[in-house]
Amino acid sequence: MAIKDMTFSNGIIKSLEKDLLTPSALMRIIDEPNYKAAVSALKEQGFGKGAETGDDEEKLFVSETLALDDFAREFTPGGEYSEFCLSTIDFYNAESFLRSEYIKNYEYAPVRTGLIADIPSFLKQAKNKGKNANEELLSAYEEGKKLFESGKATGAEISSIFLAARYKRLLKKCGGDLKKYLKNEIDCKNVSTALRAKTEEDVEKLFIDGGNLKKEDILFIFSADGEKIEKKFAFTPFSEMLGVAMKEKSASLPLIGFEAKADGFALGELKKKKYETEGATPFLLYYLYKSAEITNVRIILGGKRAKCSAEEIKRRLRTGYDG
């Protein structure tokens, strides 16, 4: 798919990378003596600089997230990149709106705006007038409604419906590096499902189509023992991630290391192109680096608030910008 000339934009984007939190900066924040000191250190680094003053950490995250949305709108190389960065918000907002229709005291109060300015109006008008600008979103909404009306809806199933629909749309709209990233991300979510599911039926129900791994592979991970799993995937990109998972499972430990590896796997593969300075790669990497930074800061502040040890927090950090 054609993209616009990014020569000028990429110069700006590369300069923005200088403001990203490096691993050493994150380590210094982790090593602060307490939560309050960590928040202060974070502000000193410029994180959440557009936020209102106060001690509410959520304001920092909102400020950074909205700034990233603005970045995506201003510097997008083309339509598929806008879909990748912003349509996720539409699916989140549509799911939230659906829940507000059926769950007592659940308030629909969107903080972010994606490609669709008014989700409630879109869902109703699109249905009444036959507009199918986002068929996947509309289908997920209708499927979710039926599940709620059947009285059998669970939070996990509703989220799974919208997640699968989001990936279906993005895989249809995106190509190249975006599609590779999405397929890797889908694989990791399916592997996570296999490792956590209690029944084969759960794996089948929550499986997301479109990844590199087939459903049979995911069912194998669900049913086989660790040695067989490690042998089957020994010479694949998933080897290290699954090796960590098998060690944690065999020791009856929470899958903390696996989740960190899985959440960063798709970005880790894309980082192999981090020295490319032309085309859409600098835009995509910056967007993903900043997204990972926001996630890592959440992990750090959550850990500091819970008085977790520095080592425990570090184990949870996701792959991100490394300078």
Side-chain angles (χ1 to χ4, degrees):
M1 298 181 185
I3 65 168
K4 69 181 185 184
D5 184 356
M6 294 291 290
T7 305
F8 178 72
S9 294
N10 283 343
I12 299 174
I13 291 169
K14 294 305 287 186
S15 70
L16 290 175
E17 281 190 11
K18 297 175 184 177
D19 293 328
L20 291 169
L21 296 175
T22 62
S24 60
L26 292 175
M27 294 305 110
R28 287 196 296 272
I29 295 166
I30 291 172
D31 289 334
E32 290 292 340
N34 53 51
Y35 168 80
K36 190 172 182 179
V39 172
S40 295
L42 194 59
K43 290 179 178 179
E44 288 173 7
Q45 293 284 341
F47 189 90
K49 57 187 174 185
E52 300 173 20
T53 57
D55 295 327
D56 183 359
E57 69 180 65
E58 192 58 34
K59 291 178 181 177
L60 302 180
F61 294 120
V62 170
S63 174
E64 291 290 338
T65 302
L66 292 179
L68 184 57
D69 292 344
D70 289 341
F71 164 84
R73 289 188 175 89
E74 182 177 354
F75 292 100
T76 178
E80 63 180 322
Y81 290 87
S82 296
E83 282 279 351
F84 179 84
C85 298
L86 299 172
S87 70
T88 296
I89 304 169
D90 296 329
F91 281 88
Y92 176 87
N93 286 344
E95 180 184 344
S96 180
F97 175 67
L98 174 65
R99 290 174 185 267
S100 74
E101 291 184 298
Y102 290 93
I103 300 175
K104 187 177 180 180
N105 296 327
Y106 189 102
E107 182 183 3
Y108 175 66
V111 174
R112 303 166 66 194
T113 302
L115 297 175
I116 302 170
D118 186 344
I119 283 290
S121 295
F122 169 81
L123 292 171
K124 291 178 169 55
Q125 291 174 8
K127 177 184 177 183
N128 294 336
K129 298 180 181 179
K131 296 178 181 177
N132 292 316
N134 190 329
E135 294 177 358
E136 295 78 14
L137 181 60
L138 294 171
S139 295
Y141 176 68
E142 291 301 322
E143 186 178 350
K145 282 181 67 174
K146 289 178 182 177
L147 195 57
F148 268 116
E149 288 167 7
S150 73
K152 299 178 181 179
T154 66
E157 285 181 289
I158 294 296
S159 292
S160 178
I161 288 169
F162 280 90
L163 183 64
R166 176 172 75 86
Y167 279 121
K168 183 178 180 180
R169 178 165 182 81
L170 289 177
L171 288 171
K172 182 175 77 174
K173 292 289 185 178
C174 300
D177 287 337
L178 290 177
K179 180 165 279 191
K180 290 176 185 176
Y181 179 91
L182 290 164
K183 290 172 80 69
N184 283 330
E185 196 172 58
I186 290 169
D187 287 333
C188 291
K189 291 190 182 302
N190 283 333
V191 169
S192 182
T193 294
L195 293 172
R196 297 181 181 283
K198 294 182 179 179
T199 67
E200 186 173 310
E201 182 183 2
D202 290 337
V203 179
E204 295 265 6
K205 190 182 296 183
L206 299 176
F207 178 79
I208 302 169
D209 285 316
N212 301 292
L213 297 175
K214 300 186 183 303
K215 186 182 287 187
E216 302 84 71
D217 297 318
I218 301 304
L219 289 171
F220 178 85
I221 292 171
F222 168 75
S223 61
D225 62 44
E227 186 176 343
K228 290 180 180 178
I229 292 171
E230 291 193 70
K231 184 176 180 179
K232 178 179 174 67
F233 294 96
F235 301 102
T236 72
F238 308 100
S239 175
E240 182 181 1
M241 175 176 62
L242 285 169
V244 170
M246 294 307 104
K247 286 178 183 176
E248 289 178 330
K249 285 199 78 172
S250 65
S252 299
L253 295 171
L255 298 177
I256 293 172
F258 161 75
E259 289 295 354
K261 291 285 185 185
D263 280 1
F265 177 77
L267 175 54
E269 290 294 297
L270 186 61
K271 281 176 69 173
K272 295 172 183 177
K273 293 190 170 188
K274 69 179 183 178
Y275 296 112
E276 291 188 10
T277 58
E278 298 180 354
T281 301
F283 168 87
L284 181 57
L285 278 174
Y286 178 83
Y287 181 85
L288 295 172
Y289 284 152
K290 190 64 184 182
S291 297
E293 176 186 286
I294 293 169
T295 297
N296 280 332
V297 172
R298 278 194 181 278
I299 289 169
I300 292 169
L301 293 188
K304 299 300 285 187
R305 188 186 286 277
K307 295 182 171 55
C308 296
S309 69
E311 286 307 311
E312 187 175 352
I313 295 172
K314 290 173 185 177
R315 283 183 60 216
R316 296 175 182 270
L317 293 182
R318 276 37 177 173
T319 299
Y321 177 66
D322 51 16

